[in-house]
Amino acid sequence: MFSHREGAVARGENADVACDHYHRAAEDVALMKELGTNAYRFSLAWTRLLPEGTGRINRSGADFYDRLIDRLLENGITPFVTLYHWGLPQVLQQKGGFLNSDIADWFAEYAEAVKKLYGDRVKNFMTFNEPQCILGCGYRLGVHAPGLKVSLKEQLLALHNLLRAHGAGAAVLRGIRGAEIGYASCGYTYAPASEKKEDIEAAFERTFQFEKDNPLGTVASFSEPIFTGDYPKKFYEYGEDLLPKITQEDLKLISAPLDFFALNIYEGKTVYGKEDGTIGEVAPKTGSPKTQMGWEITPQNMYWAPKLLYKKYGKKVYITENGFSCADYLFSDGKIHDTYRTEYLKTYLHQLLRAASDGETKVAGYFHWSLMDNFEWAEGYKQRFGLIYVDFETLKRTPKDCFYEYKKIISENGKNL
């Protein structure tokens, strides 16, 4: 619905076909096996399984995921399933979406369907992908579905409702024997400018700082109520006129125990501790490299983010997205040479390996974004993140140079970094 709205997506493109994984899953899983990956993170579409939002299960949609999951397992690939990656059934949006407190019940019913359909084979789940983007881009900036720009009061209501939905869904999934559950966060993380104690402390404090002028965009907005059982103290400074009704039952639901912290990380910032006790930010160097998305290249954050997250919450850390968009195209030799992405991948993974090897931080795994070029929301098809090039006219798949470099890294579990 949103991608067909005039002006919503770059170049007037839409999400009707995208990379057509629906019809080409067998080919795509074969490419995964060639790559050597032992896990595949993918998202279920609530819209595909329960097109009316609740009630009837769409059998053809359910069967697609059955085939995909079975095919993954047959090839020794562990499925990691995300329940919500920015797609809400339109009928529920018409009822208010995340502004309707009933969404916790709707999401629980959806999770129950997932449990019954796939809980016998899938054991790794994430409830929501990037709640910061779901609400910040969808309800504040209006650049992602549903394209709203609501008041601060409504933003805070949507935040609370999403967290309640997360808790309700997690409670259902906990009924799957052997299940491990988390959610995939984003938001800026901060690296210290040096190894000095005051700089490291500044990076830790800044990473988990709640921003009253950006309540939907920080790590703390979601991770604090989920992992500590309450909102940050500054959250309550909005006052009763702006805050939703928050009960102890809500907080207990939201903070149901999780098994891991999942983080999507592309860029970060660097800070230092000032002599007066405040935190200073280091500006990027003039002319510093950026991805085609305009994001800074900051591999040092891939070392510090999992360290600080594990120190704060004590949960093993998955990096569930990390990648590089560049201007890929088919060369005259029939290949896609993406040296920039390969260098990005190696430098970021080198830093993640450092964190995993420090004797303190529990790094559980890494998922590259993405397996193949796909529909990148408001950016349409102009941003290519894939290890595999997709011709969106013919849908032909062509592994890029980075595919083979990543295959080497996987085969040696990073020892060649």
Side-chain angles (χ1 to χ4, degrees):
M1 293 294 289
F2 182 74
S3 72
H4 282 271
R5 186 182 299 177
E6 186 175 355
V9 178
R11 303 188 294 196
E13 295 167 341
N14 63 62
D16 289 1
V17 177
C19 48
D20 201 27
H21 185 55
Y22 184 83
H23 292 108
R24 296 169 179 264
E27 176 186 357
D28 295 336
V29 173
L31 285 165
M32 293 177 214
K33 186 171 185 180
E34 181 185 348
L35 180 65
T37 184
N38 61 3
Y40 177 50
R41 178 188 176 225
F42 63 95
S43 302
L44 303 174
W46 190 346
T47 51
R48 180 175 283 157
L49 289 176
L50 296 168
E52 284 88 41
T54 58
R56 177 184 67 89
I57 291 176
N58 172 29
R59 196 65 249 174
S60 61
D63 289 348
F64 163 70
Y65 293 118
D66 263 326
R67 294 191 302 272
L68 175 60
I69 290 165
D70 287 345
R71 191 169 281 121
L72 290 168
L73 293 172
E74 288 165 5
N75 284 277
I77 301 170
T78 301
F80 278 67
V81 165
T82 302
L83 268 67
Y84 191 91
H85 195 141
W86 310 356
L88 186 70
Q90 181 65 17
V91 65
L92 299 185
Q93 185 56 47
Q94 290 168 345
K95 294 180 179 179
F98 287 97
L99 296 175
N100 189 327
S101 62
D102 289 341
I103 197 160
D105 295 328
W106 301 336
F107 191 72
E109 182 176 339
Y110 168 44
E112 186 66 40
V114 172
K115 172 186 169 184
K116 290 178 179 177
L117 288 166
Y118 313 119
D120 59 329
R121 287 156 293 161
V122 179
K123 305 299 179 183
N124 300 279
F125 295 94
M126 280 149 274
T127 53
F128 286 90
N129 180 73
E130 297 186 346
Q132 294 89 344
C133 290
I134 294 169
L135 300 183
C137 296
Y139 283 75
R140 181 187 179 209
L141 300 175
V143 295
H144 288 173
L148 301 178
K149 296 180 181 180
V150 303
S151 67
L152 176 58
K153 182 181 179 69
E154 289 175 311
Q155 290 176 40
L156 299 177
L157 174 62
L159 167 62
H160 189 58
N161 285 339
L162 185 147
L163 286 167
R164 289 176 55 253
H166 154 80
V172 171
L173 297 173
R174 184 59 67 195
I176 297 173
R177 185 175 181 179
E180 292 206 344
I181 305 161
Y183 82 104
S185 182
C186 63
Y188 278 113
T189 59
Y190 295 80
S194 75
E195 296 279 347
K196 293 179 182 178
K197 181 174 179 287
E198 57 266 33
D199 290 351
I200 294 174
E201 289 176 349
F204 182 85
E205 180 182 341
R206 187 66 185 89
T207 293
F208 301 105
Q209 195 173 88
F210 177 76
E211 302 171 22
K212 279 190 69 179
D213 61 346
N214 183 27
L216 304 180
T218 66
V219 172
S221 299
F222 301 89
S223 62
E224 286 296 287
I226 286 175
F227 288 104
T228 74
D230 203 356
Y231 287 97
K233 289 182 180 179
K234 285 188 176 181
F235 182 80
Y236 292 101
E237 293 177 5
Y238 290 117
E240 291 184 5
D241 289 344
L242 290 177
L243 288 175
K245 182 181 179 182
I246 301 169
T247 67
Q248 288 302 310
E249 289 77 13
D250 288 343
L251 294 174
K252 184 178 179 181
L253 176 68
I254 291 166
S255 60
L258 297 184
D259 302 287
F260 58 85
F261 194 110
L263 178 68
N264 299 348
I265 182 169
Y266 296 89
E267 63 172 342
K269 297 184 178 182
T270 300
V271 294
Y272 62 96
K274 293 183 176 181
E275 290 184 3
D276 64 2
T278 59
I279 298 172
E281 188 173 312
V282 180
K285 293 180 180 178
T286 302
S288 60
K290 293 179 173 64
T291 71
Q292 188 168 279
M293 286 289 293
W295 297 340
E296 297 286 339
I297 298 174
T298 57
Q300 66 273 17
N301 288 81
M302 188 65 108
Y303 171 69
W304 285 103
K307 282 179 66 69
L308 299 180
L309 285 166
Y310 184 73
K311 178 182 178 182
K312 175 73 171 176
Y313 299 120
K315 299 293 182 180
K316 62 184 180 181
V317 178
Y318 284 101
I319 302 301
T320 38
E321 285 184 28
N322 168 248
F324 185 101
S325 174
C326 56
D328 300 319
Y329 64 95
L330 200 63
F331 280 50
S332 55
D333 62 1
K335 299 178 181 179
I336 294 91
H337 303 295
D338 58 342
T339 307
Y340 293 111
R341 182 178 290 105
T342 297
E343 180 63 15
Y344 176 100
L345 182 60
K346 287 181 175 179
T347 56
Y348 271 73
L349 281 175
H350 176 72
Q351 294 297 329
L352 184 62
L353 183 60
R354 280 185 64 208
S357 305
D358 68 1
E360 301 173 353
T361 308
K362 291 186 179 180
V363 177
Y366 171 90
F367 296 86
H368 187 75
W369 185 270
S370 55
L371 177 70
M372 69 191 85
D373 298 333
N374 54 39
F375 180 77
E376 289 290 341
W377 312 103
E379 294 290 304
Y381 299 98
K382 71 178 184 178
Q383 303 291 352
R384 292 180 178 270
F385 280 89
L387 299 168
I388 299 165
Y389 181 88
V390 177
D391 182 322
F392 289 108
E393 293 294 321
T394 67
L395 298 171
K396 180 182 178 182
R397 277 84 159 121
T398 305
K400 304 173 188 179
D401 286 356
C402 67
F403 178 97
Y404 300 103
E405 292 295 331
Y406 189 38
K407 182 176 181 177
K408 292 178 185 177
I409 294 170
I410 290 173
S411 68
E412 298 187 23
N413 199 28
K415 292 179 181 178
N416 51 349
L417 290 169

